Amino acid sequence: MLPPDEPTAEIACTVNGEAIHTQVPLRRSLVDWLRHDVGLTGSHVGCEHGVCGACHVRVDGQVVRGCLMLAVQADGATVETIEGARDPLTLALQDAFFHHAALQCGFCTPGMILQAAELLAQHPAPTRAEVREALSGNYCRCTGYQPIVDAVMAVSAILPAK
Amino acid sequence: MKPARFDYARPATLAEALALLAKPDTAVLAGGQSLMPMMNLRVARPARLVDINRLPLGEIALGNGVLRIGALARHAAVLASPLVAQAAPLLPQALAQVAHAAIRNRGTLGGSLSLADPAAELPACMLALDATLVAASAARGERRIAASAFFHGLYSTALEPDELLLRAELPAAAPGWRYAFLELARRHGDFAMAGLALALGPGAARLALCGVEAGQRRQPAAEAALAAGDLPAAIAALGTAEAMDSPDLPAAQRVHLAQVLLRRAFQQIGAAHAAA
Amino acid sequence: MTHIGQPLPRAATARLVAGRGSYLDDVSARGELHAAFLRSPYPHAGFRITGTAAASALPGVVAVLTEAELAAVCQPWQTKTGSASGMVSPTQRALAKDAACYQGEPIAMVLALSRAVAEDAAELIEVEWQELPAITNLALALHVDAPPAHQGLTSNLAWSTEMKGGDIEAAFAAATLVVEDRLVFTRSTGVTLEPRGVLAQYNPASQALEVRISHQMPHQLQRHLADLLGVSLARVRVICPDVGGGFGLKMHVYPDEIAACAAARLLGRPVRFVADRAEALLSDIHAREHIVEARMAVDAEGRILGFDVQDVQGLGAYSIFPRSSTTEGVSALRSLGAPYRFSAYRGRLRSVLQNKVPTGQYRSVGHPVGIAVAERLVDLAAAARGEDPLEFRRRNLVAQAEMPWVNPLGARMAELSHQQCLAKLEALLDLPTLRNEVATMRAAGRCIGLGFASIVEFTATGPEGYGRAGVLVAAVDTVVLSLEPSGEVTARASISEIGQGTTQGLAQVVADAFGVAPDQVLMGSGDTATTPHGGGAWASRGAAIGGEAAWGAGRKLRAEVLAAAAALLQCAAEALDIQDGHITDANGPRMSLAELAETVTFRGYELPTGVQPQLTVAHHYRREQDTALTTNGFQASLVEVDPDTGIITPLRHWAVGDCGRLLNPLLVEGQVRGGVVQGIGEALFEACRYDESGQFLSGTLADYLLPMAGEMPDITVAHVETPYSGSVLGAKGAGEAGTAGAPAAILNAVNDALAQHGASVSELPITPGAILRALGRLA
Ligand SMILES: Cc1cc2nc3c(=O)[nH]c(=O)nc-3n(C[C@H](O)[C@H](O)[C@H](O)COP(=O)(O)OP(=O)(O)OC[C@H]3O[C@@H](n4cnc5c(N)ncnc54)[C@H](O)[C@@H]3O)c2cc1C
Ligand code: FES
Ligand code: FES
């Protein structure tokens, strides 16, 4: 329930393919709105100041920090979260993350996968160092990163070269 | 960690935006990659946000020897632009070291320049590239500010509170000029402990540092020495920089790092330059 | 056994990759209120709350609570342990009373319809502060003029102890070589990506408290909530859903979490509190703040004679509840030199109160400190003797024939494989080639270092540890199994899952013990209402203790099912087996488990009279010998130092470990790699820093530097498997050894590199500035 006088604005956008038309509190971040109001809890909140990457979502096809965009800014946008990302790269990465144990607690995983998918879409054949650099804005406390790099490389290996 | 309350407006035209900016305690929201963290931490608490993301200010164009980059051009777009690579090759060198992919997808040139973080890469680039920054306000219209007059100090610029930065104009890279951007950061994408933007031309040099002094500026003494091909004198000249001091990064360390970077940058492009 | 030892991914991660996890903040309760805390901005200050009217009047605010209100439903607490008897231990409260003793200590809370409004209101609470002198700097805290961390204390010394054995004077008198160093360890903290959080609901009609919380030990917390809030234990239900990282950080009693539960009790409404990152960095336990002065005596043959150690450990403002922060100091001293043979030891520990957030048990408790100190001394000794550091270690490692080995501290070590691990490490490194590579790189002007660390980790603590000290930490664990009518097995374990993968290991154990495929075993854990009382996740004990419980339960269920099947099939149970989900005999499958379970469940009349198959069984397991299980290993690190900039680049890292039987090598390797990176973070980046006045400087992730993908090396992992002989499965703990040894390996590698320039460092994390100063490039 919203506090009685919280300022809101109307937005219309598409989230995971579904049209949404609603009021959002002005000061609610995109990731908070997706999680608490839309009910899509796959994107996580780890810092709220742009450092950890747990909050990654796709807005108009680009991966962004969901904690640094306001929900009201999603007006007119196409938003995708890990739950709705059904592109072949994301699916392949999810599978590879699972098999390489590229996650332990899994809190970083959705943000990591979306970032990796964007990397592979732009550079289908990165080196390990390039993968590490591309993921350098995603914090993972559990895995030590190596199995994540392995998983991304494994998907890269089955992609047709660009 | 939720922001304090604010009003929000998303103007569709420049005129509208400028009118909104005339109100007190109003902040421009561009990429939000610096402003939103500060608001979430309640370090910044503007009463009003003017979201400029719907304004047509993202253009990157090259004409008459001038590269124009709109204030809303995202870091990622500038980084990937062939026009930029051709006319301002320093910028992609620098931008590759700015933050991380997802932040570069949102963060803007205008936001970085307006914020004037002492450790940010882009202000140093503007100085080394001798850019002109174009701003506008409802009350006074457009004005052009040389980069060397734009950055005033720690998070401080020539922009008035009611002014919006519209674009940067950069003289396209001239034949015989070479560019190097080098920085040292603790981790990939971190703000620099020290960074350096260097443009070397025939008998001329432009040099700016980031992460060293509170206000970014050209380094005239070092530039003069570089123009004369005297690297040791240039390195010595940096010794007089008025570096910021903090417990984890003392002034002397920043200066030392800047000097190391200058030597490396000169080795990278100066030698080639001398040969050319 | 066909599934134990298989590298299977943890089944539940299929949900997590899809974004279908259920973490604390993913679930809400109708009518919930959001909590925000007003926290002390000062490290030490008296205070009086003079006005809450403005805060209360803000639209959306439901309550503003202070200590006075919470006192009605919540007791204060005090950390007491027999392992630190006589410790000065100030009283702790959910909300501070009259004085705040660390920056970030909660003094009031707001409950509102949104977190944003709760934060707005917290700013409006009026407080009169009287700033008091604060002591944060550990090096100064014991000085006679140091201000007391709590008013009324005459000294900041909370506790001291001497751990000794053998004749230390004689050892040093006999030495031909004494090496010494002073090592400084800066506080670091766990930074689980998911911050702490709790959703508490109290039903006044049934007097029942339900607490969803991101925590490692549901039962431990259940007990403390019952005690502190005056609710009967069985009416407190603690649920730990998917936990986004623990590492010890989520095993303590935190004032803000207790306050949220107390508020739920007081208001009769659901209360949610999720720490944001800024308050997490301020209020999560910190760890590993030590100043260690250590000497090692060596004889003419290069044998270690003894260690003489002084450790000053920062506790923060309180000794953490319930386990006590002093554990870390004791553990540091116990692990120091543990791989080696020596005859005398004297370790003096002083645990010191400071106006900082408490320190507490954090992955590999104390070991990284003790190991770094010993391994540094060992390298110094090898260097002084002009000897290869591995040769020096090889000579001094306790040999297999000498085990069980009880060192002068009384630490018992058995079934360790130092020699095999060392041999494996040397093979893995291809040492002659690597040394050539290093020489080539050095010849090319690069500043390269190779460092080693030998490790003993005390894991899987049994009942002796906390039980004797009077601390209520469960050391028994239980697994309950049910054969469902579908033929699947549901398992409920008192061990909990925090991402480390234990539940997958247990599923594999149950699968083998019972006779089904692991995917037929559905694991449940982390809920006091559905699992028996037990230890949760700590001290790398899931496999060693929970694994035994799982094995025992699987065998029991198997016996029950075979007896039932024998009754139905009218044959001897001994003639039957369970294989791949079927009851089999010599001729093959006779009936599926589903058929059997259906018959028992729905058509019991088909069973002979008097046959009452127990399709739900439980097995408790308590280890009866060995206070802790020792594991051992070796790490090596190759680093490059840039002498111009001071930047250190870890190039490669190797870890060889023996954690007993590997239930699941894939998951064990994950533990090792993650642990190593955590250790590298500690060695090179992570630091909780304070300014002169005691203000915390590392309050955001822009200031607290975590190890990120770009700087971390690939880590080669190998195993030696020496099963623990005291249990069926032989597993020991695997979760912490990576963290234990990595700081030592990095420190030694960096010093190996610096040695070419005649320089050295002895403070963690090793910053570029420290390198430049050590090299004389910077004043
Ligand atoms: C984790 C992290 C790491 C980062 N690392 C780096 C780094 O290494 N180097 C670096 O340079 N940056 C870094 N950044 C910052 C990033 O580059 C920002 O994008 C940039 O500094 C600001 O751009 P923005 O468009 O996001 O501006 P905003 O955040 O929207 O605005 C920044 C400020 O500028 C004002 N402003 C914005 N646009 C205009 C305009 N057109 N006219 C007038 N005022 C305006 C705003 O009012 C605000 O005060 C990092 C950010 C994060 C979160
Ligand atoms: S929550 Fe957005 S970057 Fe951490
Ligand atoms: S898997 Fe836990 S943070 Fe990455």
Side-chain angles (χ1 to χ4, degrees):
Chain A
M1 193 163 57
L2 266 188
D5 64 343
E6 185 73 34
T8 61
E10 201 170 290
I11 65 165
C13 61
T14 306
V15 177
N16 291 345
E18 189 180 322
I20 296 188
H21 190 162
T22 183
Q23 292 281 326
V24 297
L26 288 182
R27 56 171 156 171
R28 188 149 297 177
S29 69
L30 178 58
V31 67
D32 275 356
W33 177 68
L34 288 167
R35 291 176 44 77
H36 296 301
D37 300 312
V38 185
L40 292 167
T41 55
S43 344
H44 299 145
V45 172
C47 73
E48 297 177 276
H49 52 276
V51 184
C52 76
C55 60
H56 278 174
V57 295
R58 273 189 207 143
V59 174
D60 294 330
Q62 287 194 312
V63 175
V64 304
R65 302 291 213 217
C67 69
L68 300 185
M69 233 182 116
L70 296 166
V72 63
Q73 295 185 285
D75 184 36
T78 300
V79 178
E80 266 175 297
T81 70
I82 189 74
E83 292 99 325
R86 283 269 150 300
D87 53 290
L89 272 177
T90 304
L91 294 176
L93 282 162
Q94 286 173 326
D95 195 52
F97 268 56
F98 174 76
H99 287 290
H100 285 84
L103 69 161
Q104 289 175 27
C105 81
F107 208 74
C108 67
T109 311
M112 214 49 107
I113 286 179
L114 290 178
Q115 190 66 62
E118 183 169 287
L119 168 71
L120 292 180
Q122 291 166 2
H123 304 284
T127 62
R128 287 183 79 83
E130 284 164 348
V131 172
R132 286 184 175 275
E133 184 173 343
L135 298 177
S136 66
N138 289 73
Y139 171 53
C140 174
R141 184 52 124 183
C142 302
T143 62
Y145 302 106
Q146 187 173 336
I148 294 174
V149 179
D150 293 342
V152 176
M153 294 303 286
V155 173
S156 160
I158 54 170
L159 291 179
K162 208 174 196 175
Chain B
M1 200 189 284
K2 309 296 175 195
R5 279 193 188 182
F6 52 81
D7 279 339
Y8 172 88
R10 190 171 49 219
T13 67
L14 182 59
E16 237 183 290
L18 294 181
L20 287 162
L21 277 180
K23 294 193 194 162
D25 202 5
T26 302
V28 174
L29 174 60
Q33 303 302 290
S34 294
L35 184 57
M36 284 319 302
M38 292 190 289
M39 287 177 63
N40 287 351
L41 288 158
R42 298 200 177 196
V43 182
R45 31 202 323 163
R48 268 168 288 278
L49 286 185
V50 176
D51 181 348
I52 60 169
N53 282 284
R54 297 283 166 93
L55 303 184
L57 293 176
E59 207 191 1
I60 301 174
L62 180 61
N64 298 332
V66 177
L67 177 70
R68 290 180 186 76
I69 308 180
L72 260 185
R74 312 282 172 190
H75 299 329
V78 179
L79 183 57
S81 159
L83 289 182
V84 172
Q86 171 198 337
L90 182 69
L91 280 178
Q93 286 186 47
L95 277 165
Q97 306 186 56
V98 172
H100 313 283
I103 293 168
R104 293 194 296 259
N105 279 344
R106 287 295 290 176
T108 67
L109 177 77
S112 179
L113 301 183
S114 310
L115 182 67
D117 187 304
E121 291 83 352
L122 294 176
C125 293
M126 293 300 125
L127 289 161
L129 296 178
D130 204 14
T132 300
L133 303 175
V134 183
S137 65
R140 299 173 307 282
E142 257 187 46
R143 66 172 175 136
R144 303 169 60 79
I145 311 161
S148 53
F150 186 83
F151 302 103
H152 284 180
L154 194 68
Y155 300 109
S156 165
T157 68
L159 289 177
E160 298 293 335
D162 65 346
E163 254 177 334
L164 185 69
L165 184 62
L166 301 182
R167 64 181 175 279
E169 297 185 357
L170 308 152
W177 281 74
R178 288 169 191 277
Y179 306 88
F181 188 94
L182 295 182
E183 78 171 47
L184 296 163
R186 291 295 297 279
R187 303 170 304 178
H188 257 98
D190 278 358
F191 279 102
M193 293 193 281
L196 168 149
L198 175 63
L200 271 185
R206 289 191 301 266
L207 171 68
L209 306 177
C210 61
V212 180
E213 297 184 306
Q216 295 195 15
R217 60 178 180 102
R218 301 256 302 262
Q219 300 289 332
E223 287 180 353
L226 288 171
D230 187 349
L231 178 65
I235 290 174
L238 289 187
T240 61
E242 284 181 34
M244 297 179 287
D245 198 45
S246 54
D248 59 331
L249 203 53
Q253 189 176 346
R254 297 178 198 257
V255 170
H256 167 81
L257 295 179
Q259 292 173 321
V260 168
L261 288 177
L262 180 53
R263 178 178 301 111
R264 290 181 180 177
F266 194 82
Q267 278 162 1
Q268 190 178 311
I269 59 170
H273 188 255
Chain C
M1 293 187 198
T2 51
H3 301 106
I4 293 174
Q6 291 302 308
L8 303 177
R10 168 158 78 99
T13 57
R15 277 190 298 116
L16 305 182
V17 296
R20 305 282 175 175
S22 176
Y23 300 90
L24 187 272
D25 197 40
D26 294 348
V27 173
S28 50
R30 294 202 178 169
E32 70 185 7
L33 299 175
H34 298 258
F37 289 88
L38 176 61
R39 295 175 183 273
S40 173
Y42 303 108
H44 197 190
F47 70 88
R48 209 161 61 82
I49 294 175
T50 52
T52 56
S56 303
L58 207 65
V61 172
V62 173
V64 179
L65 302 176
T66 67
E67 192 275 334
E69 283 84 24
L70 289 195
V73 293
C74 183
Q75 299 289 317
W77 63 93
Q78 199 185 11
T79 306
K80 281 192 175 156
T81 163
S83 350
S85 57
M87 174 174 61
V88 176
S89 179
T91 301
Q92 303 170 55
R93 294 184 165 80
L95 294 173
K97 183 180 179 175
D98 304 332
C101 296
Y102 62 91
Q103 189 187 357
E105 184 165 11
I107 69 157
M109 78 190 292
V110 177
L111 298 145
L113 296 183
S114 73
R115 167 80 185 201
V117 168
E119 286 183 28
D120 295 347
E123 293 179 341
L124 297 176
I125 298 173
E126 292 157 41
V127 187
E128 256 178 41
W129 293 98
Q130 296 95 38
E131 232 184 304
L132 295 166
I135 180 72
T136 49
N137 186 328
L138 181 60
L140 306 178
L142 288 177
H143 196 274
V144 280
D145 297 332
H150 293 259
Q151 284 172 283
L153 287 184
T154 51
S155 156
N156 291 315
L157 182 68
W159 184 63
S160 68
T161 191
E162 200 163 90
M163 297 163 65
K164 59 182 175 184
D167 187 341
I168 193 73
E169 316 295 344
F172 276 83
T176 56
L177 171 68
V178 173
V179 287
E180 59 189 323
D181 204 358
R182 178 177 186 270
L183 283 99
V184 176
F185 298 82
T186 312
R187 281 178 168 225
S188 53
T189 179
V191 199
T192 55
L193 182 51
E194 179 201 30
R196 294 183 296 107
V198 54
L199 172 59
Q201 316 190 49
Y202 183 71
N203 185 329
S206 56
Q207 298 173 13
L209 181 69
E210 183 184 298
V211 175
R212 285 175 62 88
I213 184 164
S214 185
H215 201 276
Q216 298 173 221
M217 268 151 259
H219 289 100
Q220 176 195 300
L221 191 69
Q222 176 195 39
R223 170 68 197 231
H224 296 307
L225 284 170
D227 288 351
L228 294 176
L229 299 184
V231 182
S232 88
L233 181 133
R235 281 164 213 259
V236 178
R237 178 177 183 186
V238 178
I239 303 166
C240 302
D242 288 328
V243 172
F247 313 113
L249 190 155
K250 293 175 181 170
M251 61 187 239
H252 309 288
V253 168
Y254 285 95
D256 46 20
E257 294 171 358
I258 298 297
C261 297
R265 163 117 210 247
L266 200 63
L267 303 174
R269 280 183 73 167
V271 170
R272 162 190 301 281
F273 164 64
V274 178
D276 65 34
R277 183 55 59 194
E279 58 187 342
L281 287 166
L282 262 182
S283 67
D284 293 349
I285 54 124
H286 294 175
R288 314 222 223 285
E289 181 176 17
H290 293 253
I291 301 172
V292 186
E293 289 173 23
R295 302 191 301 148
M296 182 173 79
V298 181
D299 73 9
E301 280 76 49
R303 293 178 212 284
I304 301 174
L305 299 172
F307 291 93
D308 187 11
V309 188
Q310 307 238 21
D311 181 7
V312 180
Q313 173 207 7
L315 294 188
Y318 305 96
S319 186
I320 197 74
F321 188 73
R323 292 167 188 240
S324 182
S325 313
T326 50
T327 307
E328 181 184 274
V330 172
S331 176
L333 288 180
R334 184 178 57 169
S335 55
L336 195 156
Y340 304 114
R341 187 188 316 102
F342 55 90
S343 59
Y345 187 103
R346 179 169 64 197
R348 183 163 175 227
L349 172 66
R350 282 174 295 170
S351 302
V352 180
L353 293 166
Q354 314 155 283
N355 296 111
K356 293 181 178 178
V357 73
T359 54
Q361 286 78 353
Y362 166 49
R363 193 176 202 173
S364 196
V365 192
H367 291 77
V369 172
I371 293 171
V373 172
E375 294 304 300
R376 170 76 182 133
L377 293 180
V378 162
D379 267 17
L380 285 173
R385 291 173 51 80
E387 195 177 12
D388 181 289
L390 286 182
E391 289 319 311
F392 185 90
R393 285 177 172 82
R394 196 189 316 277
R395 178 184 318 117
N396 284 285
L397 291 168
V398 176
Q400 223 140 16
E402 296 170 280
M403 278 181 246
W405 170 258
V406 181
N407 79 7
L409 280 180
R412 185 176 183 276
M413 284 163 274
E415 299 169 356
L416 300 185
S417 55
H418 295 305
Q419 285 71 18
Q420 291 102 305
C421 282
L422 179 51
K424 196 143 202 172
L425 182 82
E426 289 177 301
L428 209 58
L429 261 59
D430 188 1
L431 205 53
T433 314
L434 183 64
R435 291 223 191 267
N436 277 337
E437 274 176 43
V438 169
T440 313
M441 290 191 278
R442 284 180 177 171
R446 293 171 67 182
C447 184
I448 301 287
L450 179 61
F452 302 97
S454 171
I455 301 145
V456 166
E457 170 101 26
F458 295 80
T459 70
T461 312
E464 298 284 313
Y466 285 102
R468 278 204 199 286
V471 180
L472 302 179
V473 169
V476 58
D477 274 291
T478 304
V479 170
V480 179
L481 297 178
S482 297
L483 181 64
E484 302 295 338
S486 57
E488 294 159 302
V489 177
T490 48
R492 286 163 291 143
S494 64
I495 290 289
S496 49
E497 178 62 60
I498 53 174
Q500 81 282 41
T502 302
T503 49
Q504 177 64 32
L506 298 196
Q508 291 171 225
V509 171
V510 169
D512 279 356
F514 182 57
V516 289
D519 65 2
Q520 294 300 298
V521 182
L522 280 94
M523 294 297 306
S525 68
D527 183 347
T528 59
T530 60
T531 65
H533 200 99
W538 62 279
S540 305
R541 58 201 295 286
I545 298 176
E548 296 297 311
W551 179 262
R555 297 310 284 183
K556 270 187 192 165
L557 185 62
R558 176 186 162 84
E560 286 291 336
V561 165
L562 288 181
L568 281 172
L569 298 171
Q570 306 208 328
C571 64
E574 295 70 43
L576 298 174
D577 193 6
I578 306 175
Q579 283 180 7
D580 203 16
H582 289 267
I583 315 284
T584 58
D585 64 12
N587 301 320
R590 295 291 305 273
M591 71 195 299
S592 70
L593 285 173
E595 284 173 84
L596 175 107
E598 278 190 14
T599 307
V600 172
T601 311
F602 304 123
R603 300 186 301 278
Y605 50 80
E606 291 180 14
L607 286 160
T609 326
V611 175
Q612 293 281 1
Q614 303 294 302
L615 296 192
T616 293
V617 301
H619 191 77
H620 297 272
Y621 179 75
R622 148 181 79 87
R623 197 172 63 242
E624 296 180 47
Q625 71 284 33
D626 296 319
T627 305
L629 299 186
T630 43
T631 65
N632 66 288
F634 256 93
Q635 287 188 27
S637 162
L638 184 72
V639 304
E640 173 154 20
V641 175
D642 178 344
D644 289 335
T645 65
I647 289 176
I648 300 164
T649 308
L651 300 174
R652 289 167 73 184
H653 201 101
W654 299 262
V656 179
D658 184 345
C659 59
R661 165 105 66 224
L662 296 169
L663 299 188
N664 181 324
L666 180 66
L667 301 183
V668 167
E669 284 175 20
Q671 286 299 298
V672 174
R673 291 202 171 90
V676 164
V677 163
Q678 217 158 350
I680 297 178
E682 210 172 309
L684 296 180
F685 294 106
E686 300 184 43
C688 300
R689 300 211 188 267
Y690 295 79
D691 73 7
E692 309 257 285
S693 70
Q695 283 286 320
F696 186 48
L697 299 175
S698 311
T700 72
L701 292 187
D703 307 302
Y704 186 90
L705 303 186
L706 290 159
M708 303 296 277
E711 288 67 39
M712 290 302 113
D714 277 341
I715 300 155
T716 309
V717 178
H719 313 282
V720 170
E721 234 176 313
T722 311
Y724 172 52
S725 62
S727 66
V728 177
L729 298 171
K732 311 181 199 174
E736 302 174 280
T739 313
I746 294 274
L747 178 68
N748 281 345
V750 170
N751 277 329
D752 183 48
L754 293 182
Q756 304 156 66
H757 298 262
S760 70
V761 290
S762 53
E763 180 169 343
L764 297 186
I766 312 167
T767 62
I771 296 284
L772 292 175
R773 281 187 292 276
L775 290 170
R777 308 273 168 117
L778 206 61

